[in-house]
Amino acid sequence: MEPASRLDQNHKLSLKEFPYIIRWREDRCTRCGRCTAVCPVKAIEPAVNIQRTVTSEGSSPEPKVTRRLTHVVKQSTDIERYCIGCGTCALVCPTEAIFPEYNFQHKFYHFKNKGGIPYMRGGRRNDPSVSTLDKLKFTRISMLTDPALDAGRHEFRIRTLLGRNLSADHLPIKVEGDRLTVDPNVFVPPVREIYPIRIGSMSIGALSPHMWEGLAMGITYLNEVEGLPVVMCSGEGGMPPSILKSSAIKYFILQIASGYFGWDEIIHALPDMIEDPCAIEIKYGQGAKPGDGGLLQAYKVLGLISKIRGVPQFVDLASPPTHQTKYSIEEAVAKMITSMSMAWGFRVPVYPKISGTKTARAVLNNLARNPYAAALCIDGEDGGTGAAYNVSMDKMGHPIASNIRDCYLDLVKQGKQNELPLIAAGGVGKAGNLAANAAALIMLGASAVDIGKYIMQTAAGCFGDEYNRCNVCNLGKCPRGITTQDPKLYRRLDPDKVAERVVEVFKAADVELKKIFAPLGRSTELPIGMSDALGVGDKDIADRLQISYVC
Amino acid sequence: MCRLSAITSSEYISPMENILSLETMKEGHDGSGLGLMLKDLGGPFKDLKDFPILSTICSNKGVEDLTAFMRSRGFAEKFSWEPAIKNVPGVERRDHYLVKVYDYPAEYRDKPKSEKEDLLMNTRLAIRKMGEPDGSIFAFSFYPDVLTLKEVGDPLQLGEFFNLDKSDIKSKIVLAQGRQNTNYAIYLYACHPFFIQGYGTMTNGENTAFVPIREFLMGRGNPGYMGYNSDSEVFTHIAHYVNRSLGYPLHYYKDVITPLKEKEIDTRSDAQAIRLLKRSLRPLCIDGPNCVIGFTPDGSVFMVQDAKKLRPGVVGGVPGKYGLMSEVCGLDSAVPQRDKSTDIFPMKYDMVIIAPGAREVTVWNQLHA
């Protein structure tokens, strides 16, 4: 017998192919409609079902069939409206009637290429395995011969230097009698003393105004009230002129990238700037999408962003993968670093940022020979981004641990490990262990580390994770209001609360760093390259990083 | 904790004085090695002050190799000395504790001092390289007017072993280190004091920042910055690097290994210079806890320690004889006749420097310099 409805639905997807499946409890649901209203991707919608009920009353069976309409919450099987697992529905549900559940058997990637357009998203590499950084532990504990320090009472100085440190034999120092004097006519490169955990480059277009403002307030408070010199990088896209012309600009690193977005405003603000920025970062690459340029999708190019960046609204802002006016790192080093230095009278450190790569050492060696290069920032494969192709994020890039170690040991060979600071980024705090990851990278040779996604998660409750949860930063639909330019969404985020969390996060990390450094007996200088303190229970990792294998 | 005993005197003294002071400082079962470094030598070396002295321990094969090697390099032997060894239970006797005085190769006799010093250091390194694989030669120092003796065992027993109480070996400066009992399988190159081109130092306390310091020193392009079988060897090399290579006055050693905080730097008249130094020599901050005692080529003797040193060393004495010890009881043994109220316990900002000939004691304060 023919069924009442057709069965040949081969070109439709079943919910089993989707990464998140909505679990909805009919008995708890009050049909208030909040979940369907808040869903950023319209993955759920109110629907009507016909319910057939058979009842029987009396002493003998007298089945009676009734049909009635019921209101349900239905998950879409349209791939363009897939549930992203953000859980905003659960957040707003007053009766705990709904939540998304991860589906390990999903075939999402097989289908998310409709119209020949590959899957694009925000976030970072969808790899929930334990990172190398999280495998490292601190095994050189001071005992009898050099008693461990008291992390709570001892005085610690957790600071690092950003800038080109001249080697001692190049310092303009003279001996006059019993004391040293400095020749004031000799140029000494600018060096900043900063906190070794920085907020990495996230632009004021990738982030919502409230998120950016919260971060900016947080680091200003840390500097001016808590005495922690935490700095933050602007990302590509400029800065609000009001900050450019304020004294707070000294807490910011201005990034120039291949699209030069925002630099018209910055150049015009130069004559009115009352302080120098902390540094200038020249972006050549990004760990999350190596070899790919920056991208701010049209959804996010609204009024404020178009004004700061000097572009029309609602257009994709794609920065090229490389600086179009340069054809080599040599030329970039020779011209770009020098010209950026000149713009601020050689008072501001200028350094490049590259993505983690096997060729990082070639870049490094070039910089080591350039007296104006102030540092090298390397962004590993676990770095985050606001928008990229999934394939770039998941399959391209180099892990940061061995990349930073190779570069540091290269500098050691040349005796220049103190001259050119290395800044490590990409996956710091991936599993929530910010201080431990930072300390491990420092002991592998980094002078400082950058965080991005970690601060979004801890300070603003970003839902994103390595199970591809949420990750719609590129679409401007961020349900937390972190990476959107839509006022309806970002007004959900209170900048004051973000700032408070930023302060809490850094204060807590500072305590944890002390809890790591104190048992190692270190308190005066950052233990950069103190690789004897590290151990790992994986022989291959130990050999590769030249640290102890422990078991 | 390693026991340290240094004496600087206007008269020649026996190193037994240091060994006895080490004995008074002994606490429990600590004493697994002894290192002695004598400068401004008397006795049979009194009239050989301009000639370099090579201090070694050699096997019989090592002696033959050494003789052939030195001849090939043009060094003419002027004098040879070995302690009259007395067998002592518990001390394993090696073939030769050989100290030889040489004349420079003819082509070096009129060269400047620095070139001579480089020749001596490179020759010592070559001897070390030759003798290290089979343990046939250990070369500790090769420099005019400096003699080194080292061996594994209890310091007092080693004094008897080397027959030092009856020996005519004397000097005006003696560094002596009694090794703590953390390691019995001691490699002789891990024994303090360490020496490079006129600088000798010894240290107690573990050096937590050893690896970054070692890596920094090895990148300075000086072949003498090698070895590092002990984490304390870096203190000698830092002193050499700051004072000799960079040419800074000795007290800047303190600024390099224990740099001031940023605010404290502002109190100094040379703030600009030490701020630059602090940045450029950041990896040489020792981050303690250590007490360093040493001498420089001109015969100055110094003590310096960092703020984490919970049990500070002490300096005291009388004009013409001063002791620099890790414990005050060691000083009581070495200079009992001194006025104890004038003893100096260097605080975290202090560097004590005693001028050559034990004439004058200066406490250089880093904060108020």
Side-chain angles (χ1 to χ4, degrees), chain B residues 303 305 312-317 322-325 328 331 338-347 350-354 361-364:
Chain B
M303 175 188 280
Q305 52 209 359
V314 58
V315 179
Y322 289 96
L324 303 88
M325 306 278 167
V328 74
L331 196 54
R338 75 192 192 284
D339 175 1
K340 289 185 185 181
S341 67
T342 62
D343 285 352
I344 300 160
F345 293 87
M347 294 292 131
D350 296 337
M351 179 171 187
V352 180
I353 302 173
I354 303 174
V361 182
T362 310
V363 180
W364 182 82

PDB file of all heavy atoms in Angstrom, chain B residues 303 305 312-317 322-325 328 331 338-347 350-354 361-364:
ATOM      1  N   MET B 303      82.798  40.378  48.381  1.00  0.00           N
ATOM      2  CA  MET B 303      81.648  39.522  48.720  1.00  0.00           C
ATOM      3  C   MET B 303      80.378  40.244  48.284  1.00  0.00           C
ATOM      4  O   MET B 303      80.235  41.448  48.508  1.00  0.00           O
ATOM      5  CB  MET B 303      81.561  39.238  50.222  1.00  0.00           C
ATOM      6  CG  MET B 303      80.291  38.437  50.602  1.00  0.00           C
ATOM      7  SD  MET B 303      80.022  38.267  52.370  1.00  0.00           S
ATOM      8  CE  MET B 303      81.142  36.953  52.779  1.00  0.00           C
ATOM      9  N   GLN B 305      75.943  39.404  47.679  1.00  0.00           N
ATOM     10  CA  GLN B 305      74.855  38.428  47.735  1.00  0.00           C
ATOM     11  C   GLN B 305      73.547  39.091  47.330  1.00  0.00           C
ATOM     12  O   GLN B 305      73.476  40.314  47.224  1.00  0.00           O
ATOM     13  CB  GLN B 305      74.745  37.788  49.106  1.00  0.00           C
ATOM     14  CG  GLN B 305      74.668  38.758  50.233  1.00  0.00           C
ATOM     15  CD  GLN B 305      75.245  38.176  51.516  1.00  0.00           C
ATOM     16  OE1 GLN B 305      75.691  37.041  51.553  1.00  0.00           O
ATOM     17  NE2 GLN B 305      75.228  38.960  52.551  1.00  0.00           N
ATOM     18  N   PRO B 312      73.147  35.303  55.370  1.00  0.00           N
ATOM     19  CA  PRO B 312      74.178  36.078  54.679  1.00  0.00           C
ATOM     20  C   PRO B 312      75.578  35.751  55.155  1.00  0.00           C
ATOM     21  O   PRO B 312      75.782  35.293  56.281  1.00  0.00           O
ATOM     22  CB  PRO B 312      73.813  37.518  55.019  1.00  0.00           C
ATOM     23  CG  PRO B 312      73.027  37.448  56.269  1.00  0.00           C
ATOM     24  CD  PRO B 312      72.370  36.114  56.324  1.00  0.00           C
ATOM     25  N   GLY B 313      76.531  36.003  54.296  1.00  0.00           N
ATOM     26  CA  GLY B 313      77.926  35.834  54.663  1.00  0.00           C
ATOM     27  C   GLY B 313      78.377  36.982  55.559  1.00  0.00           C
ATOM     28  O   GLY B 313      77.623  37.913  55.844  1.00  0.00           O
ATOM     29  N   VAL B 314      79.636  36.904  56.008  1.00  0.00           N
ATOM     30  CA  VAL B 314      80.149  37.915  56.933  1.00  0.00           C
ATOM     31  C   VAL B 314      81.592  38.263  56.556  1.00  0.00           C
ATOM     32  O   VAL B 314      82.340  37.412  56.080  1.00  0.00           O
ATOM     33  CB  VAL B 314      80.049  37.418  58.401  1.00  0.00           C
ATOM     34  CG1 VAL B 314      80.808  36.110  58.593  1.00  0.00           C
ATOM     35  CG2 VAL B 314      80.525  38.463  59.396  1.00  0.00           C
ATOM     36  N   VAL B 315      81.931  39.525  56.782  1.00  0.00           N
ATOM     37  CA  VAL B 315      83.293  39.990  56.517  1.00  0.00           C
ATOM     38  C   VAL B 315      83.806  40.655  57.791  1.00  0.00           C
ATOM     39  O   VAL B 315      83.103  41.458  58.403  1.00  0.00           O
ATOM     40  CB  VAL B 315      83.314  41.029  55.366  1.00  0.00           C
ATOM     41  CG1 VAL B 315      84.741  41.514  55.112  1.00  0.00           C
ATOM     42  CG2 VAL B 315      82.725  40.430  54.094  1.00  0.00           C
ATOM     43  N   GLY B 316      85.014  40.326  58.197  1.00  0.00           N
ATOM     44  CA  GLY B 316      85.573  40.958  59.387  1.00  0.00           C
ATOM     45  C   GLY B 316      87.060  40.712  59.473  1.00  0.00           C
ATOM     46  O   GLY B 316      87.617  39.878  58.741  1.00  0.00           O
ATOM     47  N   GLY B 317      87.719  41.439  60.346  1.00  0.00           N
ATOM     48  CA  GLY B 317      89.153  41.218  60.497  1.00  0.00           C
ATOM     49  C   GLY B 317      89.845  42.426  61.114  1.00  0.00           C
ATOM     50  O   GLY B 317      89.193  43.278  61.755  1.00  0.00           O
ATOM     51  N   TYR B 322      91.825  40.065  56.644  1.00  0.00           N
ATOM     52  CA  TYR B 322      90.367  40.026  56.681  1.00  0.00           C
ATOM     53  C   TYR B 322      89.870  38.671  56.183  1.00  0.00           C
ATOM     54  O   TYR B 322      90.463  38.066  55.291  1.00  0.00           O
ATOM     55  CB  TYR B 322      89.765  41.129  55.803  1.00  0.00           C
ATOM     56  CG  TYR B 322      89.968  42.508  56.393  1.00  0.00           C
ATOM     57  CD1 TYR B 322      91.046  43.292  55.980  1.00  0.00           C
ATOM     58  CD2 TYR B 322      89.106  43.006  57.356  1.00  0.00           C
ATOM     59  CE1 TYR B 322      91.253  44.544  56.520  1.00  0.00           C
ATOM     60  CE2 TYR B 322      89.309  44.255  57.909  1.00  0.00           C
ATOM     61  CZ  TYR B 322      90.379  45.032  57.486  1.00  0.00           C
ATOM     62  OH  TYR B 322      90.581  46.257  58.045  1.00  0.00           O
ATOM     63  N   GLY B 323      88.796  38.239  56.808  1.00  0.00           N
ATOM     64  CA  GLY B 323      88.168  36.997  56.370  1.00  0.00           C
ATOM     65  C   GLY B 323      86.811  37.305  55.764  1.00  0.00           C
ATOM     66  O   GLY B 323      86.109  38.225  56.202  1.00  0.00           O
ATOM     67  N   LEU B 324      86.455  36.550  54.732  1.00  0.00           N
ATOM     68  CA  LEU B 324      85.121  36.650  54.123  1.00  0.00           C
ATOM     69  C   LEU B 324      84.554  35.227  54.165  1.00  0.00           C
ATOM     70  O   LEU B 324      85.050  34.334  53.483  1.00  0.00           O
ATOM     71  CB  LEU B 324      85.197  37.146  52.677  1.00  0.00           C
ATOM     72  CG  LEU B 324      85.897  38.493  52.442  1.00  0.00           C
ATOM     73  CD1 LEU B 324      87.388  38.292  52.240  1.00  0.00           C
ATOM     74  CD2 LEU B 324      85.308  39.210  51.230  1.00  0.00           C
ATOM     75  N   MET B 325      83.568  35.041  55.017  1.00  0.00           N
ATOM     76  CA  MET B 325      83.124  33.670  55.326  1.00  0.00           C
ATOM     77  C   MET B 325      81.610  33.533  55.151  1.00  0.00           C
ATOM     78  O   MET B 325      80.867  34.499  55.262  1.00  0.00           O
ATOM     79  CB  MET B 325      83.447  33.336  56.796  1.00  0.00           C
ATOM     80  CG  MET B 325      84.882  33.551  57.183  1.00  0.00           C
ATOM     81  SD  MET B 325      85.907  32.151  56.701  1.00  0.00           S
ATOM     82  CE  MET B 325      87.548  32.864  56.908  1.00  0.00           C
ATOM     83  N   VAL B 328      79.782  33.109  60.653  1.00  0.00           N
ATOM     84  CA  VAL B 328      80.604  33.929  61.544  1.00  0.00           C
ATOM     85  C   VAL B 328      81.593  33.071  62.357  1.00  0.00           C
ATOM     86  O   VAL B 328      82.686  33.529  62.716  1.00  0.00           O
ATOM     87  CB  VAL B 328      79.710  34.817  62.454  1.00  0.00           C
ATOM     88  CG1 VAL B 328      79.054  33.998  63.541  1.00  0.00           C
ATOM     89  CG2 VAL B 328      80.483  35.992  63.006  1.00  0.00           C
ATOM     90  N   LEU B 331      84.820  32.939  60.695  1.00  0.00           N
ATOM     91  CA  LEU B 331      85.600  34.163  60.889  1.00  0.00           C
ATOM     92  C   LEU B 331      86.273  34.139  62.262  1.00  0.00           C
ATOM     93  O   LEU B 331      87.431  34.565  62.412  1.00  0.00           O
ATOM     94  CB  LEU B 331      84.653  35.373  60.776  1.00  0.00           C
ATOM     95  CG  LEU B 331      85.261  36.735  60.564  1.00  0.00           C
ATOM     96  CD1 LEU B 331      86.182  36.750  59.350  1.00  0.00           C
ATOM     97  CD2 LEU B 331      84.160  37.780  60.394  1.00  0.00           C
ATOM     98  N   ARG B 338      89.979  39.964  66.142  1.00  0.00           N
ATOM     99  CA  ARG B 338      89.336  41.161  65.602  1.00  0.00           C
ATOM    100  C   ARG B 338      88.297  41.711  66.577  1.00  0.00           C
ATOM    101  O   ARG B 338      87.864  41.014  67.503  1.00  0.00           O
ATOM    102  CB  ARG B 338      88.644  40.815  64.270  1.00  0.00           C
ATOM    103  CG  ARG B 338      87.363  40.046  64.471  1.00  0.00           C
ATOM    104  CD  ARG B 338      86.842  39.459  63.198  1.00  0.00           C
ATOM    105  NE  ARG B 338      85.486  38.969  63.380  1.00  0.00           N
ATOM    106  CZ  ARG B 338      85.156  37.841  63.999  1.00  0.00           C
ATOM    107  NH1 ARG B 338      86.105  37.074  64.523  1.00  0.00           N
ATOM    108  NH2 ARG B 338      83.894  37.487  64.132  1.00  0.00           N
ATOM    109  N   ASP B 339      87.886  42.934  66.330  1.00  0.00           N
ATOM    110  CA  ASP B 339      86.783  43.526  67.084  1.00  0.00           C
ATOM    111  C   ASP B 339      85.486  43.083  66.402  1.00  0.00           C
ATOM    112  O   ASP B 339      85.152  43.555  65.312  1.00  0.00           O
ATOM    113  CB  ASP B 339      86.934  45.055  67.051  1.00  0.00           C
ATOM    114  CG  ASP B 339      85.758  45.755  67.719  1.00  0.00           C
ATOM    115  OD1 ASP B 339      84.852  45.052  68.220  1.00  0.00           O
ATOM    116  OD2 ASP B 339      85.738  47.000  67.707  1.00  0.00           O
ATOM    117  N   LYS B 340      84.760  42.191  67.068  1.00  0.00           N
ATOM    118  CA  LYS B 340      83.585  41.592  66.417  1.00  0.00           C
ATOM    119  C   LYS B 340      82.488  42.619  66.126  1.00  0.00           C
ATOM    120  O   LYS B 340      81.639  42.406  65.266  1.00  0.00           O
ATOM    121  CB  LYS B 340      82.992  40.483  67.294  1.00  0.00           C
ATOM    122  CG  LYS B 340      83.871  39.258  67.332  1.00  0.00           C
ATOM    123  CD  LYS B 340      83.189  38.159  68.116  1.00  0.00           C
ATOM    124  CE  LYS B 340      84.136  36.989  68.259  1.00  0.00           C
ATOM    125  NZ  LYS B 340      83.539  35.873  68.986  1.00  0.00           N
ATOM    126  N   SER B 341      82.526  43.717  66.884  1.00  0.00           N
ATOM    127  CA  SER B 341      81.476  44.713  66.668  1.00  0.00           C
ATOM    128  C   SER B 341      81.620  45.391  65.303  1.00  0.00           C
ATOM    129  O   SER B 341      80.711  46.071  64.839  1.00  0.00           O
ATOM    130  CB  SER B 341      81.507  45.764  67.778  1.00  0.00           C
ATOM    131  OG  SER B 341      82.701  46.509  67.675  1.00  0.00           O
ATOM    132  N   THR B 342      82.776  45.215  64.675  1.00  0.00           N
ATOM    133  CA  THR B 342      82.963  45.844  63.356  1.00  0.00           C
ATOM    134  C   THR B 342      82.698  44.862  62.216  1.00  0.00           C
ATOM    135  O   THR B 342      82.919  45.197  61.054  1.00  0.00           O
ATOM    136  CB  THR B 342      84.389  46.416  63.219  1.00  0.00           C
ATOM    137  OG1 THR B 342      85.314  45.318  63.320  1.00  0.00           O
ATOM    138  CG2 THR B 342      84.691  47.455  64.267  1.00  0.00           C
ATOM    139  N   ASP B 343      82.263  43.668  62.570  1.00  0.00           N
ATOM    140  CA  ASP B 343      81.956  42.703  61.513  1.00  0.00           C
ATOM    141  C   ASP B 343      80.883  43.269  60.574  1.00  0.00           C
ATOM    142  O   ASP B 343      79.978  43.980  61.012  1.00  0.00           O
ATOM    143  CB  ASP B 343      81.415  41.384  62.102  1.00  0.00           C
ATOM    144  CG  ASP B 343      82.535  40.568  62.737  1.00  0.00           C
ATOM    145  OD1 ASP B 343      83.709  40.954  62.585  1.00  0.00           O
ATOM    146  OD2 ASP B 343      82.215  39.537  63.377  1.00  0.00           O
ATOM    147  N   ILE B 344      81.010  42.911  59.325  1.00  0.00           N
ATOM    148  CA  ILE B 344      80.058  43.414  58.317  1.00  0.00           C
ATOM    149  C   ILE B 344      79.233  42.237  57.783  1.00  0.00           C
ATOM    150  O   ILE B 344      79.788  41.250  57.298  1.00  0.00           O
ATOM    151  CB  ILE B 344      80.814  44.067  57.143  1.00  0.00           C
ATOM    152  CG1 ILE B 344      81.669  45.236  57.646  1.00  0.00           C
ATOM    153  CG2 ILE B 344      79.857  44.525  56.048  1.00  0.00           C
ATOM    154  CD1 ILE B 344      82.776  45.611  56.684  1.00  0.00           C
ATOM    155  N   PHE B 345      77.938  42.373  57.923  1.00  0.00           N
ATOM    156  CA  PHE B 345      77.034  41.401  57.302  1.00  0.00           C
ATOM    157  C   PHE B 345      76.398  42.113  56.103  1.00  0.00           C
ATOM    158  O   PHE B 345      75.457  42.882  56.277  1.00  0.00           O
ATOM    159  CB  PHE B 345      75.953  40.950  58.290  1.00  0.00           C
ATOM    160  CG  PHE B 345      76.508  40.149  59.439  1.00  0.00           C
ATOM    161  CD1 PHE B 345      76.984  40.780  60.586  1.00  0.00           C
ATOM    162  CD2 PHE B 345      76.559  38.767  59.360  1.00  0.00           C
ATOM    163  CE1 PHE B 345      77.510  40.049  61.631  1.00  0.00           C
ATOM    164  CE2 PHE B 345      77.077  38.035  60.415  1.00  0.00           C
ATOM    165  CZ  PHE B 345      77.561  38.672  61.559  1.00  0.00           C
ATOM    166  N   PRO B 346      76.919  41.899  54.925  1.00  0.00           N
ATOM    167  CA  PRO B 346      76.433  42.689  53.783  1.00  0.00           C
ATOM    168  C   PRO B 346      74.941  42.475  53.555  1.00  0.00           C
ATOM    169  O   PRO B 346      74.474  41.339  53.479  1.00  0.00           O
ATOM    170  CB  PRO B 346      77.234  42.152  52.592  1.00  0.00           C
ATOM    171  CG  PRO B 346      78.347  41.364  53.171  1.00  0.00           C
ATOM    172  CD  PRO B 346      77.914  40.905  54.510  1.00  0.00           C
ATOM    173  N   MET B 347      74.225  43.593  53.510  1.00  0.00           N
ATOM    174  CA  MET B 347      72.789  43.521  53.247  1.00  0.00           C
ATOM    175  C   MET B 347      72.563  43.455  51.732  1.00  0.00           C
ATOM    176  O   MET B 347      73.489  43.487  50.948  1.00  0.00           O
ATOM    177  CB  MET B 347      72.095  44.741  53.862  1.00  0.00           C
ATOM    178  CG  MET B 347      72.163  44.762  55.359  1.00  0.00           C
ATOM    179  SD  MET B 347      71.166  43.422  56.052  1.00  0.00           S
ATOM    180  CE  MET B 347      72.308  42.696  57.195  1.00  0.00           C
ATOM    181  N   ASP B 350      74.463  45.763  49.465  1.00  0.00           N
ATOM    182  CA  ASP B 350      75.891  45.981  49.735  1.00  0.00           C
ATOM    183  C   ASP B 350      76.798  45.089  48.897  1.00  0.00           C
ATOM    184  O   ASP B 350      76.488  43.935  48.623  1.00  0.00           O
ATOM    185  CB  ASP B 350      76.192  45.704  51.213  1.00  0.00           C
ATOM    186  CG  ASP B 350      75.468  46.682  52.140  1.00  0.00           C
ATOM    187  OD1 ASP B 350      75.122  47.775  51.664  1.00  0.00           O
ATOM    188  OD2 ASP B 350      75.249  46.324  53.313  1.00  0.00           O
ATOM    189  N   MET B 351      77.963  45.662  48.593  1.00  0.00           N
ATOM    190  CA  MET B 351      79.039  44.864  48.035  1.00  0.00           C
ATOM    191  C   MET B 351      80.282  45.247  48.826  1.00  0.00           C
ATOM    192  O   MET B 351      80.639  46.422  48.906  1.00  0.00           O
ATOM    193  CB  MET B 351      79.237  45.185  46.555  1.00  0.00           C
ATOM    194  CG  MET B 351      80.357  44.390  45.928  1.00  0.00           C
ATOM    195  SD  MET B 351      80.382  44.597  44.136  1.00  0.00           S
ATOM    196  CE  MET B 351      81.624  43.396  43.692  1.00  0.00           C
ATOM    197  N   VAL B 352      80.900  44.253  49.421  1.00  0.00           N
ATOM    198  CA  VAL B 352      82.101  44.520  50.223  1.00  0.00           C
ATOM    199  C   VAL B 352      83.316  44.271  49.339  1.00  0.00           C
ATOM    200  O   VAL B 352      83.444  43.213  48.730  1.00  0.00           O
ATOM    201  CB  VAL B 352      82.152  43.601  51.466  1.00  0.00           C
ATOM    202  CG1 VAL B 352      83.404  43.898  52.282  1.00  0.00           C
ATOM    203  CG2 VAL B 352      80.907  43.789  52.306  1.00  0.00           C
ATOM    204  N   ILE B 353      84.181  45.271  49.263  1.00  0.00           N
ATOM    205  CA  ILE B 353      85.396  45.125  48.454  1.00  0.00           C
ATOM    206  C   ILE B 353      86.593  45.441  49.343  1.00  0.00           C
ATOM    207  O   ILE B 353      86.652  46.509  49.980  1.00  0.00           O
ATOM    208  CB  ILE B 353      85.386  46.078  47.239  1.00  0.00           C
ATOM    209  CG1 ILE B 353      84.152  45.806  46.367  1.00  0.00           C
ATOM    210  CG2 ILE B 353      86.668  45.916  46.421  1.00  0.00           C
ATOM    211  CD1 ILE B 353      83.947  46.784  45.228  1.00  0.00           C
ATOM    212  N   ILE B 354      87.514  44.498  49.423  1.00  0.00           N
ATOM    213  CA  ILE B 354      88.723  44.711  50.225  1.00  0.00           C
ATOM    214  C   ILE B 354      89.887  44.964  49.265  1.00  0.00           C
ATOM    215  O   ILE B 354      90.128  44.164  48.340  1.00  0.00           O
ATOM    216  CB  ILE B 354      89.018  43.500  51.127  1.00  0.00           C
ATOM    217  CG1 ILE B 354      87.800  43.240  52.028  1.00  0.00           C
ATOM    218  CG2 ILE B 354      90.270  43.737  51.960  1.00  0.00           C
ATOM    219  CD1 ILE B 354      87.889  41.998  52.861  1.00  0.00           C
ATOM    220  N   VAL B 361      88.725  48.167  53.809  1.00  0.00           N
ATOM    221  CA  VAL B 361      87.453  47.523  53.496  1.00  0.00           C
ATOM    222  C   VAL B 361      86.449  48.591  53.075  1.00  0.00           C
ATOM    223  O   VAL B 361      86.263  49.577  53.793  1.00  0.00           O
ATOM    224  CB  VAL B 361      86.893  46.764  54.718  1.00  0.00           C
ATOM    225  CG1 VAL B 361      85.580  46.047  54.351  1.00  0.00           C
ATOM    226  CG2 VAL B 361      87.903  45.774  55.240  1.00  0.00           C
ATOM    227  N   THR B 362      85.829  48.397  51.927  1.00  0.00           N
ATOM    228  CA  THR B 362      84.824  49.353  51.464  1.00  0.00           C
ATOM    229  C   THR B 362      83.490  48.627  51.340  1.00  0.00           C
ATOM    230  O   THR B 362      83.431  47.541  50.769  1.00  0.00           O
ATOM    231  CB  THR B 362      85.199  49.893  50.062  1.00  0.00           C
ATOM    232  OG1 THR B 362      86.529  50.320  50.099  1.00  0.00           O
ATOM    233  CG2 THR B 362      84.279  51.023  49.634  1.00  0.00           C
ATOM    234  N   VAL B 363      82.468  49.232  51.929  1.00  0.00           N
ATOM    235  CA  VAL B 363      81.131  48.695  51.704  1.00  0.00           C
ATOM    236  C   VAL B 363      80.455  49.626  50.697  1.00  0.00           C
ATOM    237  O   VAL B 363      80.159  50.777  50.995  1.00  0.00           O
ATOM    238  CB  VAL B 363      80.301  48.617  53.003  1.00  0.00           C
ATOM    239  CG1 VAL B 363      78.914  48.037  52.703  1.00  0.00           C
ATOM    240  CG2 VAL B 363      81.021  47.786  54.038  1.00  0.00           C
ATOM    241  N   TRP B 364      80.280  49.120  49.508  1.00  0.00           N
ATOM    242  CA  TRP B 364      79.664  49.915  48.442  1.00  0.00           C
ATOM    243  C   TRP B 364      78.175  49.642  48.452  1.00  0.00           C
ATOM    244  O   TRP B 364      77.748  48.495  48.344  1.00  0.00           O
ATOM    245  CB  TRP B 364      80.281  49.509  47.096  1.00  0.00           C
ATOM    246  CG  TRP B 364      79.753  50.294  45.947  1.00  0.00           C
ATOM    247  CD1 TRP B 364      80.159  51.526  45.548  1.00  0.00           C
ATOM    248  CD2 TRP B 364      78.699  49.905  45.058  1.00  0.00           C
ATOM    249  NE1 TRP B 364      79.439  51.934  44.458  1.00  0.00           N
ATOM    250  CE2 TRP B 364      78.531  50.961  44.140  1.00  0.00           C
ATOM    251  CE3 TRP B 364      77.894  48.781  44.958  1.00  0.00           C
ATOM    252  CZ2 TRP B 364      77.581  50.912  43.125  1.00  0.00           C
ATOM    253  CZ3 TRP B 364      76.945  48.726  43.950  1.00  0.00           C
ATOM    254  CH2 TRP B 364      76.795  49.791  43.053  1.00  0.00           C
TER     255      TRP B 364
END
